[in-house]
Amino acid sequence: MTVDLVVRNCTVVTPAGRTPNGGVAVEDGTIVAVGRSDRLPDADRVVDADGNVLVPGIIDGHIHNREPGLEYKEDWESATRAAAAGGVTTVVGMPNTDPVIDRPDHLELKFERGEASAHVDFQSYAVVTSENIDQIPAIDEAGALGFKIFLGSTVGDVPPPNDGEILEAMERIGETGKRLGFHEENGEIIDHYTEQFQAEGRTKPIDHSHSRPVIAEQEAVERMLTFAEETGAKIHMFHVSSGSAAEAVARGKARGVDVTAETCPHYLWFTEEVMREKGNVARVQPPIRDADEQARLWNALEEGAIDTIATDHAPHTPDEKKVDDPFGNTWDAISGFVGLETEVPAMLSFVDEGRFTLEEWVRRHSTRPAQVWGMYPQKGSLQVGTDADFTIIDPDAEWTLTDRDTLHSKNCVTPFEGESFTGKAVTTVVRGEVVYEDGDVVGKSGYGTRVDVDTE
């Protein structure tokens, strides 16, 4: 028997454990064998992993690919090119585009654009506002991965529904079997302090962070947990930035609420001191927190309150980020930065530091995202019969991101510029096709396809 592709000479790592001197065999884009290298079949193409580590394809469940409508910042092609270079095999786009993804035809447009240009596989959320609650069944039928509500002010200014409408939306989404995620910040608290700080002339980058206090995040989490407890809805907390919010998630889980949560590498890597060191380059919503909140976030992650890792990859132009004057008036700058090519190195650096094992990292960055969003086991499993998505990493590679313009997004501003890492992705395989190797994106634009969702 000869198959299409075999990867040999690697340690295969899944949440269940490790297979030394292992490998994977692929036929027609599907895994047909996983095991010891010497027991794998012959292949038309053999990849020697050179003793590195092979893991299920990394999944980023939170990116802003900006298409449709904001392609000057990013698009499906550039975002998924960055994903391939970062070892990410599946991405999920956010709905705050132009038009916003709030109707079936807008979702279909986003999918069509992705099918035309993506390098890796993809999906998309749909937004819920006061204007489209009646559209939820149709959006579900159109294939949305899940739904999102922006509770506080954010890029795109997508207004949230009122609390009664949120309850109704939860009930309707519950009938679809899909999950409802939140940008969980209390808008009234944020708006109050933003207006107060601006009136007082507080314009430093750290002032933006303090205008969005932890209580705004924690209160929003607690309120949505209460609503989910009442309705039985499955909910998700995007980009949890603080230990206080993560501890609230843990209390919800303990009460039996079907709640999952993600955090991002920048909340684990930096403290709010980065605002004084790098200025508006690190401006993000919710903001990066102080050392105490970060320590509590790490503790909550280790205890299971946080299910997944994602980036909130959010490209903006250097002018929008005020790169030429990073410590200038923060209210003139915009929030967000890229992350698709630094998420794997950041997490591997934490593995190198002993914060968690490779198995624990894989569970949070591949297997759990697939489970949370209805893509498992087709994604995130390395099981025979599933998509041949995997990432080969060199866990010992030491390197520094010295120049952001070596990244692959259209706009590459990031506070990770200048940071040093241990570990990186060296090969990315999507459904049996090598899309990144030897430092180059080699996959074809348009190869990526929409991922089917299983809510059973």
Side-chain angles (χ1 to χ4, degrees):
M1 175 185 179
T2 301
V3 298
D4 295 333
L5 173 71
V6 164
V7 179
R8 302 184 188 274
N9 189 22
C10 57
T11 298
V12 177
V13 177
T14 71
R18 307 184 184 197
T19 302
N21 192 26
V24 178
V26 178
E27 178 73 12
D28 293 331
T30 300
I31 295 172
V32 294
V34 181
R36 292 182 57 84
S37 288
D38 57 7
R39 297 178 182 175
L40 296 175
D42 294 332
D44 294 331
R45 179 178 182 183
V46 176
V47 173
D48 185 340
D50 195 28
N52 285 316
V53 174
L54 183 148
V55 302
I58 299 304
I59 297 171
D60 192 329
H62 189 161
I63 76 159
H64 295 269
N65 67 290
R66 305 302 189 198
E67 190 173 8
L70 302 169
E71 289 87 350
Y72 75 95
K73 296 176 187 277
E74 188 82 296
D75 56 29
W76 273 125
E77 192 281 327
S78 58
T80 56
R81 182 172 7 117
V88 178
T89 59
T90 302
V91 295
V92 187
M94 283 292 163
N96 53 333
T97 51
D98 185 15
V100 294
I101 310 305
D102 61 349
R103 304 175 59 86
D105 57 328
H106 295 169
L107 178 64
E108 289 161 3
L109 174 62
K110 193 171 182 80
F111 286 153
E112 288 169 5
R113 297 282 186 88
E115 294 283 355
S117 62
H119 291 270
V120 306
D121 288 352
F122 61 89
Q123 249 289 350
S124 177
Y125 304 108
V127 74
V128 178
T129 69
S130 297
E131 307 300 323
N132 75 332
I133 293 173
D134 63 332
Q135 294 284 310
I136 286 171
I139 293 170
D140 169 49
E141 287 295 320
L145 186 73
F147 295 85
K148 182 174 184 179
I149 290 175
F150 293 87
L151 292 176
S153 60
T154 190
V155 175
D157 294 323
V158 181
N162 64 42
D163 283 354
E165 291 165 337
I166 293 173
L167 283 167
E168 180 183 353
M170 282 188 177
E171 291 168 351
R172 293 195 180 210
I173 293 169
E175 294 171 358
T176 73
K178 292 181 178 174
R179 194 171 291 272
L180 170 61
F182 297 93
H183 178 120
E184 62 278 6
E185 289 183 288
N186 181 303
E188 293 183 3
I189 294 174
I190 293 167
D191 291 346
H192 170 78
Y193 284 110
T194 298
E195 292 171 8
Q196 181 184 100
F197 285 16
Q198 290 176 345
E200 293 172 352
R202 297 174 61 176
T203 62
K204 295 178 180 179
I206 195 67
D207 293 322
H208 171 265
S209 300
H210 292 169
S211 74
R212 307 177 81 98
V214 168
I215 187 60
E217 183 179 35
Q218 181 182 345
E219 187 280 335
V221 171
E222 297 278 16
R223 180 159 41 99
M224 293 307 106
L225 287 169
T226 300
F227 289 3
E229 196 167 27
E230 172 67 21
T231 62
K234 298 192 295 186
I235 63 171
H236 181 77
M237 301 300 166
F238 290 111
H239 50 42
V240 173
S241 67
S242 65
S244 295
E247 290 160 6
V249 170
R251 291 191 292 272
K253 288 176 182 281
R255 299 203 310 263
V257 178
D258 190 342
V259 56
T260 54
E262 77 180 29
T263 193
C264 307
H266 48 271
Y267 298 125
L268 301 171
W269 189 278
F270 299 109
T271 69
E272 67 174 24
E273 289 304 308
V274 72
M275 304 306 297
R276 298 182 175 96
E277 297 165 357
K278 302 191 179 188
N280 289 316
V281 167
R283 189 185 196 265
V284 67
Q285 296 169 177
I288 296 167
R289 307 297 185 180
D290 66 25
D292 176 67
E293 287 290 345
Q294 185 195 60
R296 291 165 61 189
L297 177 62
W298 265 107
N299 186 63
L301 173 69
E302 292 162 355
E303 292 186 355
I306 302 295
D307 297 83
T308 69
I309 301 296
T311 57
D312 194 9
H313 174 88
H316 299 290
T317 68
D319 181 63
E320 289 173 319
K321 290 295 294 179
K322 304 303 176 188
V323 169
D324 290 340
D325 185 20
F327 298 98
N329 189 331
T330 193
W331 310 113
D332 293 335
I334 199 166
S335 290
F337 43 76
V338 298
L340 278 164
E341 294 177 72
T342 51
E343 60 182 308
V344 168
M347 301 313 293
L348 289 174
S349 297
F350 292 136
V351 171
D352 181 68
E353 293 169 6
R355 298 304 301 252
F356 40 69
T357 65
L358 281 170
E359 290 87 346
E360 290 167 339
W361 164 61
V362 169
R363 179 167 60 84
R364 293 185 177 97
H365 218 162
S366 179
T367 302
R368 242 353 237 141
Q371 292 170 336
V372 166
W373 294 111
M375 297 183 282
Y376 187 86
Q378 205 62 27
K379 304 293 186 184
S381 75
L382 284 189
Q383 293 179 15
V384 170
T386 65
D387 287 350
D389 295 353
F390 39 86
T391 305
I392 301 174
I393 59 165
D394 179 350
D396 300 317
E398 296 182 356
W399 64 286
T400 300
L401 179 58
T402 56
D403 181 0
R404 68 173 184 266
D405 290 331
T406 60
L407 303 176
H408 292 77
S409 287
K410 282 188 177 181
N411 294 283
C412 301
V413 178
T414 171
F416 283 100
E417 185 174 23
E419 299 297 309
S420 296
F421 306 94
T422 301
K424 66 189 303 183
V426 294
T427 305
T428 308
V429 178
V430 179
R431 285 177 288 108
E433 290 291 323
V434 177
V435 298
Y436 174 78
E437 64 178 344
D438 298 328
D440 293 317
V441 177
V442 296
K444 294 180 179 180
S445 171
Y447 174 71
T449 192
R450 187 184 90 185
V451 181
D452 291 331
V453 185
D454 182 5
T455 57
E456 296 299 325

